[in-house]
Amino acid sequence: MLKLVTPHIERDDPAPEVSLDSLLERVATADQRAFSELYDRVAPRVLGLVRRLLVDHAQSEEVTQEVFLEIWKTAPKFDTERGAAMSWILTMAHRRAVDRVRASQANHVRDLKIGIRDLEREYDQTSETVEIRIEHERVKKAMGQLTELQRQAISLAYYGGYSHSEVAELLHVPIGTVKTRLRDGMIRLRDEMGVTK
């Protein structure tokens, strides 16, 4: 189980904090102390991001551990010219979490197909088709109530599977703007569809 505990070390004269970029460059040389410090500094943010996507705490801890293993193995590929260490790490965490969600959905669909195949009783397929169409129309109508910018961001992030930074790049806007559009759009969608938290 992943424990996010930062050890308290008393020092007479605290050393200046090393940048995450520098720590990651040291991790690339298999520096275990740098990795430990990097972990202590970014693990809470990584776990927070993963947990927002997965919800389940145990799976979130597992994916967070996978992210840090990947950081250890791929640190030599980090390039400060292409972005900051925190962005690189969070992008990796987002992709891992999305992969886990997709794998979980694929397993669910597979299990559902097996269950349907093994189910002997008949069901009203017409009724189910109508329910799906009605739900689709509700979502379509709710999406129509969003601003064009919110609709674009949500379509790319949730239907296209793009990360926040990829959406920002595609829409040529800052990542903070993308996050605001997504948050505001999701709140509005939830309100339009009458979904409670």
Side-chain angles (χ1 to χ4, degrees):
M1 182 176 271
L2 182 65
K3 293 187 179 181
L4 303 176
V5 178
T6 305
H8 177 70
I9 301 171
E10 291 189 26
R11 295 183 179 142
D12 294 334
D13 55 337
E17 190 171 69
V18 179
S19 75
L20 292 178
D21 289 356
S22 298
L23 283 175
L24 198 49
E25 288 172 346
R26 287 175 39 207
V27 169
T29 66
D31 184 331
Q32 292 181 2
R33 291 185 72 189
F35 182 76
S36 177
E37 186 176 340
L38 179 76
Y39 177 88
D40 289 344
R41 286 178 51 190
V42 303
R45 283 190 65 190
V46 170
L47 179 61
L49 170 66
V50 171
R51 188 153 187 202
R52 275 195 305 270
L53 293 167
L54 296 180
V55 180
D56 180 76
H57 189 72
Q59 278 198 37
S60 299
E61 287 180 340
E62 189 177 309
V63 169
T64 299
Q65 287 178 345
E66 291 171 6
V67 169
F68 279 96
L69 181 61
E70 187 176 354
I71 290 169
W72 178 256
K73 290 179 177 178
T74 63
K77 295 179 182 178
F78 171 68
D79 181 4
T80 55
E81 298 292 320
R82 297 183 65 197
M86 196 69 208
S87 297
W88 186 73
I89 291 168
L90 291 178
T91 298
M92 189 182 301
H94 183 268
R95 286 187 179 141
R96 280 266 176 182
V98 168
D99 287 347
R100 178 64 64 97
V101 168
R102 287 178 180 155
S104 178
Q105 288 172 341
N107 288 339
H108 177 72
V109 168
R110 185 194 69 236
D111 292 345
L112 188 60
K113 285 180 180 177
I114 291 170
I116 289 171
R117 183 194 68 207
D118 294 343
L119 186 63
E120 293 180 14
R121 66 182 176 88
E122 293 183 18
Y123 67 97
D124 186 352
Q125 188 171 2
T126 304
S127 175
E128 185 177 329
T129 302
V130 169
E131 285 179 26
I132 291 170
R133 283 187 183 155
I134 289 171
E135 189 63 23
H136 178 73
E137 287 303 316
R138 283 185 68 217
V139 172
K140 188 175 176 181
K141 183 179 177 187
M143 287 286 285
Q145 299 302 313
L146 302 179
T147 67
E148 179 62 26
L149 301 175
Q150 290 170 340
R151 194 169 28 258
Q152 287 175 334
I154 287 173
S155 294
L156 289 170
Y158 293 98
Y159 295 124
Y162 292 99
S163 69
H164 291 170
S165 57
E166 290 169 333
V167 172
E169 190 176 311
L170 288 167
L171 297 178
H172 307 292
V173 295
I175 193 165
T177 303
V178 167
K179 290 179 182 180
T180 300
R181 289 177 186 174
L182 288 171
R183 184 194 68 233
D184 293 349
M186 292 305 290
I187 289 170
R188 194 160 179 193
L189 270 179
R190 187 182 66 221
D191 292 346
E192 290 291 331
M193 295 186 68
V195 177
T196 58
K197 287 184 180 179

